[in-house]
Amino acid sequence: MANKNEIKVFTYLKSVSNLFKNENDQDCILGDIELENKFFIPAYQRAYSWEKKQCEKLYNDIMKLVNDNNSLDYIFGSIIIYKSDKNIEIIDGRQRITTFILLLKAVLNKIEYDFKREDEFKLAPPSKPDSNSAKIQRRLKLQRKKIISYLYYIDLAEVDVDNDIDSDEIFLSQKYSNLTIKYISDSMYESPSVKDTLKNILQNNISNKNKSNFTKNFKFFEEQLKNSDVNKLYKFIDKLCDQCKIIVTVCNSQEVAIQLFHTLNSDGLHLTNADIIGAQLYNKCHIKTKFKKTWSHIIKELGNLQKKYNIDIDNIFEQYIYIRLVKESTQSITLPEVDVDVLKYFNKIISNFPDNSSDGPLAFAEDISNIVDNWTKKIDDIELYNLKCIMLKQYNYIKFYYATYSFFYGVENKNMQKKLVKSLIKLFTIFVLQETNTIQSTPYKDFLDKFNIDDNNHIVKEIEAYIEKNFNKETIQTKINKAAVKSGTTNKALIYLNEYLCSPEKDELLETLERVYTVIPKSEKDKELKPYIHKLGNQKLEKKKSTKKNSVETNKPEKTNNDIDINEKIERVKQNTQEIADRIVEFIFSKEEEKEDLQ
């Protein structure tokens, strides 16, 4: 008995003809004409974004086949589809499929335009049916009939190749506006008017005022085909329909298709969980305008957050999972692993929302927006701003606790925020120094599992007591002295922490600073000096260079003097590192001032 969960993936090499024609033939992607399958663009797909440069390359590649009279097939990329009972869902390849449709329509218009020109086919009198012009005329009529069947669902018996083209065109022009096209877009990233653009082009209802990529690319193809003679046009259509090949991967489920797409596009721009989850919520939500506004705000703010602190939508989703677990449970909650299957977790939640509901999808979006806003909200307290900056430089686990606290208790009490963030930084600075890949495998897991933010009056005291009981100053100092700060490591948070501790007034915005090398440059190749390049004592922050002319820069880094003795450089780095270690250790083991009002 077949396993319904069995993954099935089939890959074929198909021509443009095979993509668009409906026949009871295994070579045809759309399949039986009676089923009226369509190419379906799901809501999570991005907007149609190909521009002239991509269309120009496509057109020039086809023309090269024509001019070289090349009999070899040309592969124009790949698509991944999920073939449901009703439609062909395009998981990857929306840009190519859409562009081929625009090109086919431009070709159809060119054929019909040429048939109306007196200086072309009317040179072949009925008495000479075997003339070259008459042969091309009939071939183009057949090609026209094929292209009509590629773009629309129509009984081809109604398109009589032997009829006079003018009378046939009158018949079809009346039907174009009512014909069913083989393409549906549900992309939530396109407005209703933009979604209708391709439909309007195919129904000969294009507006010159429309400036979408659909219209621009269609007009580009029309302009390119404008001066093609009938012989070249015939060859162009032949190459386009039969020698332009696409690698088509057919999957037996949407989940498999999306997983495959992510795997094949791991180094490129691929669908994010935000795209897919956002689209699923959008489809379920009745108040779509309000949902889109909220979701657009999330994506915009996340762009800034990721650029500054490398927090992406999956990090936010993971924080939301933890928040939901804390909210729904009365016992200790283990932090979700970094590799938690975010999509699968939220799919179960979203599937339970009824169609055309409002509360579920909107509440979900507003919760995510709340988490994002708590990270991006403007802070007028510089010290608190800097503390958050240090926290964001730590690895992800520290963010779960602050996100949970902010979600349940808000961010209005700055005094409590400072106490909480300082205590979290102390705790996670120690964890960073342990050089473990995951907190889940450390001896501190039991403490963290019990450390849910449900009563924030005791959080700071609990952390301070835990640190005092389980760690000593000498061990932490030794680890800081040994710590190396390289690109991509979490130890870079130590540089920001030190800079914060060095500023007595806490009035220097850490965000305006960037890391530089001081005593020993990064390019140093001397074997004796290389071990000290990445030491904390060789790191210094300076203000980012201003783009404004005549700007005055302060806090310049210490200049490297090549005349300084090697041993002196080493001693200076060691001394700087020891001072940093003393400073950080003092901070870690300090006690926050007790205040009655911690709420």
Side-chain angles (χ1 to χ4, degrees), residues 11 77 132 140-141 169 234 258 272 283 354 386 428 453 563 571:
T11 301
N132 188 54
L140 278 173
K141 280 186 176 182
E169 173 59 23
Y234 171 76
I258 291 172
T272 66
N283 285 335
N386 282 338
F428 280 84
I453 298 185
D563 295 329
E571 285 305 312

Side-chain angles (χ1 to χ4, degrees), residues 242-305:
D242 296 322
Q243 282 188 242
C244 290
K245 299 294 179 71
I246 305 290
I247 299 170
V248 182
T249 302
V250 183
C251 301
N252 65 328
S253 74
Q254 184 191 63
E255 185 179 352
V256 169
I258 291 172
Q259 182 182 356
L260 178 63
F261 176 60
H262 278 235
T263 302
L264 296 178
N265 291 273
S266 59
D267 296 326
L269 183 65
H270 56 73
L271 293 172
T272 66
N273 287 332
D275 293 328
I276 299 166
I277 291 171
Q280 290 171 335
L281 291 166
Y282 174 78
N283 285 335
K284 290 273 189 177
C285 188
H286 176 62
I287 310 175
K288 294 190 184 298
T289 303
K290 187 175 182 181
F291 176 86
K292 282 183 70 172
K293 184 177 180 181
T294 304
W295 204 257
S296 296
H297 169 75
I298 291 168
I299 301 304
K300 180 182 177 182
E301 290 299 314
L302 268 170
N304 298 327
L305 199 57

